[in-house]
Amino acid sequence: SSLFCPTDLKPQNIDWQMSANRQAHSTDNYNSQELILRRGQPFSFSLTLNRVLRSGESLGFIVSTGPSPSESAKTRAVFSLSSGTSGGSWYAQLMSQRENTLNISISSPANAPIGWYTLNLQVFTQGNNFTLKLGMLILLFNPWSQADSVFMNSQAERQEYVLEDSGAIFVGSTNRISMIGWNFGQFEGDILNICLAILDSSLNFRRDPAHDVARRGDPKYVGRVLSAMVNSNDDNGVIAGNWSGSYTGGRDPRNWNGSVEILKEWKKSGFRPVRFGQCWVFAGTLNTVMRCFGIPARVITNFNSAHDTDRNLSVDVFYDPMGNPLEKGSDSVCQMYHSCGPLWLLKLSLCLKLPSPPSYNGWQVLDATPQERSQGVFQCGPASVAAVREGDVNLDFDMPFIFAEVNADRITWIYDARRNTQKQNSSDTNTIGRYISTKAVGSYSRMDVTEKYKYPEGSSQERQVFDKAVGKLKPNRTFGPTSSTEVERDEREPSISGVFKVNGILAVGKEVNLALTLKNLTRDMKTVTVNMTAWTIVYNGTLVHEVWKDSVTISLDPEEEVQHPVKITYAQYEKYLKADNMIRTTAVCRASDEAEVVVERDVILDNPTLTLKLMDQARMRKPVNVQMIFSNPLDEPVKNCVLMVEGSGLLLGNLKIDVPNLRPKEQSRVRFEIMPTRSGTKQLVADFSCNKFPAIKAMLSVDVAV
């Protein structure tokens, strides 16, 4: 060692036994040269001194983390090399000794803060003591250790929720659930360092670095910090959200294929928010950071998710008498779907204000999409999934908001600006929180976890839980946006019913064919005035543009059912369709002086297929060709075509390929090369965009042979 030592005893060589340690700690996947370890588990190294230790001479160690390490905060530990072990704190053991080479094992406590540590050696000799730096290591959470609060018992679940670096996120609507691939990439080069930099950029760290680092042993604390930092609101976090439908100055959220590019761009830009994200982008990125730190995590999608701002456990939806949806009131109308990232925790009771039953351990909802402030910052969770199911909305964190997301009542209003009145049209207790979905363990099928979040809709328990939650919140259950409008309630049973049915296929470039089916529920003749509109929307209900409207009068004989065709041409919606491919159709139907009946239907148009084909058997470190096939279904050319591809373990970084313009009905075939670096089944994710199709997704499973 070139370091100055006041005595003749000094270390000559240190062997970190990197590959054996990283294999034992399940960190051999990280694409970096660091010593990456899991807490609560021993690691070994050998230390060669320039001579044998004499009697009266001894060695000790100091580990420290954070800017101002202290023993009281457990961010610094001083311990000697001994033969015994001490539970719950750092200790070093001499395993064996051959002359002047010592084989040493060091273990950290199972609740140690995660992050970068410095390991120093202390040498005590003939009254002279000195300290020198041996090296640096990174400590992570340990779901393999029973003593760790993130312990997960099942190896298959650990494989999926900690080690799996690609996955799928469910999107769409209740009548059309689809899946997009997502490259989590938590083991890619530099991602672990960027994830640790996220913690060091947080408001908590900036306010009080020592306190923040000391709390990094608690996965609930780390999760809450990350839920605030993955969105850029308040704190210059990683991703800037945008739901306007216009994404100039950034990337359409639909075009991302995974988190790696986002995290690298955030670092490269000097930690400026990356533009733009929507819920699945926040969820996918949060999931990457959690898995990277060793916290088991998964992405959950809730269909028909409510955004209740006033804690009255109901969301209000407004229409005008002409059938136009109104953006009115502070509740955002039910989103088609909402993705968030639960984390797994076993020992919870430490943080809850009230003693919570052990059954509230397990999955906790954590949400990084900036929807509402919590403790002054856009963050959400962790909140126990089991507690949500039981309606215990008084527990930490953000329970009323999360309970409402899956269980609010949806109330429809007709607002008449001319007369300044609003009428409650209908109240629906079972639309919200449907098909709560996540990727199954070990396969790409959809796992429905709705019953983990709530009792079955229509069951007596579900209503009991809802009433219990309302009682605990004691909300002032006011409905509608303001008190200045006159509120009317119409308690009469409607005399007609209606539904939109889809005729034929729903595809971008084709005419949308629906039929409004109206039924007379009485034995009297009815004359029904129908005002209809169609709007393109973003998945969270943001209205983009009206693309069609129509008004008709329909006569119904007693108990008669009539179908009225609705046709929306490509020319009408083409310019206003967003990457979500969603159109909301509404009909406000009124029989003479009776209450209106609102009929609504959201339709999602299919994109043409993007196909990926492997041209040969994939092998480690051997280039292999992949072919992309795309056919232009339109009667017009498509231009500005770009293919973006990524996949952890299949290619470094991402590929961006400019694809030539396509004539009407023309097929394109593009070949590109990938270079697998890890064996096993890996996921290739692709996004194709052009002037007519903003985001077409594809994924391909690649089995890589050694």
Side-chain angles (χ1 to χ4, degrees), residues 467-573:
D467 294 339
K468 165 178 162 185
V470 169
K472 286 194 172 189
L473 288 175
K474 305 195 177 53
N476 165 14
R477 266 175 83 92
T478 55
F479 296 101
T482 56
S483 52
S484 65
T485 50
E486 202 135 318
V487 175
E488 303 171 11
R489 285 177 197 277
D490 211 321
E491 302 299 342
R492 288 176 298 180
E493 283 297 301
S495 61
I496 48 172
S497 69
V499 62
F500 276 114
K501 291 185 174 153
V502 174
N503 290 331
I505 59 161
L506 295 170
V508 178
K510 298 264 186 292
E511 184 172 75
V512 175
N513 279 303
L514 304 172
L516 173 64
T517 305
L518 287 182
K519 186 169 184 359
N520 183 351
L521 304 174
T522 70
R523 296 199 170 147
D524 307 318
M525 281 280 299
K526 292 284 170 195
T527 304
V528 185
T529 325
V530 182
N531 293 320
M532 292 177 284
T533 61
W535 288 67
T536 51
I537 60 169
V538 180
Y539 78 95
N540 71 333
T542 302
L543 303 172
V544 178
H545 205 280
E546 184 183 76
V547 293
W548 173 90
K549 66 174 172 198
D550 193 15
S551 290
V552 290
T553 304
I554 295 171
S555 296
L556 289 172
D557 286 336
E559 294 177 357
E560 185 188 11
E561 186 171 280
V562 167
Q563 289 209 348
H564 179 76
V566 169
K567 290 188 190 320
I568 307 164
T569 64
Y570 179 50
Q572 283 171 306
Y573 68 75

Side-chain angles (χ1 to χ4, degrees), residues 111 504 586:
N111 61 354
T586 310

Side-chain angles (χ1 to χ4, degrees), residues 156-458:
E157 290 188 355
R158 283 198 301 261
Q159 176 63 42
E160 178 72 46
Y161 298 134
V162 183
L163 298 179
E164 192 53 71
D165 59 6
S166 65
I169 300 175
F170 291 94
V171 296
S173 69
T174 50
N175 42 26
R176 242 186 144 66
I177 295 177
S178 56
M179 173 172 89
I180 55 169
W182 193 263
N183 179 30
F184 297 121
Q186 67 267 37
F187 304 120
E188 295 294 294
D190 210 28
I191 291 297
L192 176 53
N193 278 324
I194 296 171
C195 291
L196 289 166
I198 293 176
L199 295 179
D200 288 351
S201 309
S202 75
L203 293 175
N204 297 25
F205 182 82
R206 283 183 256 162
R207 282 184 204 126
D208 187 345
H211 184 62
D212 173 70
V213 172
R215 295 193 65 186
R216 289 183 190 175
D218 175 2
K220 295 177 302 298
Y221 176 79
V222 170
R224 190 153 170 84
V225 167
L226 293 175
S227 108
M229 277 303 296
V230 167
N231 69 69
S232 68
N233 301 43
D234 319 307
D235 48 23
N236 252 358
V238 181
I239 303 162
N242 179 344
W243 288 266
S244 68
S246 160
Y247 308 111
T248 39
R251 192 186 285 193
D252 186 323
R254 291 261 160 196
N255 292 138
W256 299 111
N257 282 322
S259 322
V260 176
E261 213 189 332
I262 292 170
L263 291 165
K264 286 188 167 169
E265 191 176 310
W266 181 66
K267 181 188 175 183
K268 201 173 80 186
S269 72
F271 306 114
R272 279 204 287 279
V274 176
R275 301 189 290 195
F276 291 107
Q278 289 171 359
C279 71
W280 70 94
V281 182
F282 292 108
T285 306
L286 177 61
N287 201 63
T288 293
V289 185
M290 307 284 275
R291 288 185 187 182
C292 188
F293 287 159
I295 301 175
R298 63 189 188 184
V299 177
I300 293 276
T301 301
N302 174 34
F303 288 91
N304 291 355
S305 184
H307 178 165
D308 173 24
T309 51
D310 45 15
R311 290 172 55 123
N312 65 359
L313 302 190
S314 73
V315 287
D316 302 312
V317 184
F318 293 90
Y319 292 98
D320 72 11
M322 294 312 293
N324 287 297
L326 299 176
E327 285 177 331
K328 191 171 166 46
S330 54
D331 288 343
S332 100
V333 179
C334 167
Q335 314 185 53
M336 298 271 224
Y337 61 87
H338 178 67
S339 309
C340 59
L343 73 151
W344 173 264
L345 294 178
L346 258 186
K347 302 179 179 68
L348 241 197
S349 48
L350 310 166
C351 88
L352 294 172
K353 295 176 194 154
L354 308 166
S356 70
S359 61
Y360 287 0
N361 292 340
W363 290 109
Q364 311 291 313
V365 179
L366 201 60
D367 196 346
T369 304
Q371 297 193 81
E372 287 294 306
R373 282 208 159 88
S374 168
Q375 295 176 327
V377 176
F378 280 96
Q379 57 189 354
C380 183
S384 159
V385 170
V388 171
R389 186 174 196 252
E390 298 303 332
D392 282 330
V393 291
N394 48 327
L395 300 179
D396 283 344
F397 280 103
D398 310 306
M399 283 292 281
F401 184 77
I402 292 165
F403 181 86
E405 282 190 306
V406 299
N407 226 335
D409 286 350
R410 183 177 193 268
I411 298 174
T412 308
W413 299 83
I414 302 278
Y415 173 71
D416 188 336
R418 220 165 27 105
R419 294 170 44 223
N420 195 27
T421 61
Q422 58 191 42
K423 270 196 293 204
Q424 183 177 329
N425 179 268
S426 64
S427 171
D428 192 340
T429 63
N430 57 13
T431 323
I432 286 178
R434 306 278 303 280
Y435 303 113
I436 302 176
S437 305
T438 189
K439 175 188 172 298
V441 173
S443 85
Y444 273 81
S445 54
R446 183 179 76 86
M447 181 162 80
D448 193 304
V449 293
T450 312
E451 88 294 343
K452 297 271 189 285
Y453 285 77
K454 58 184 191 175
Y455 288 99
E457 283 295 356

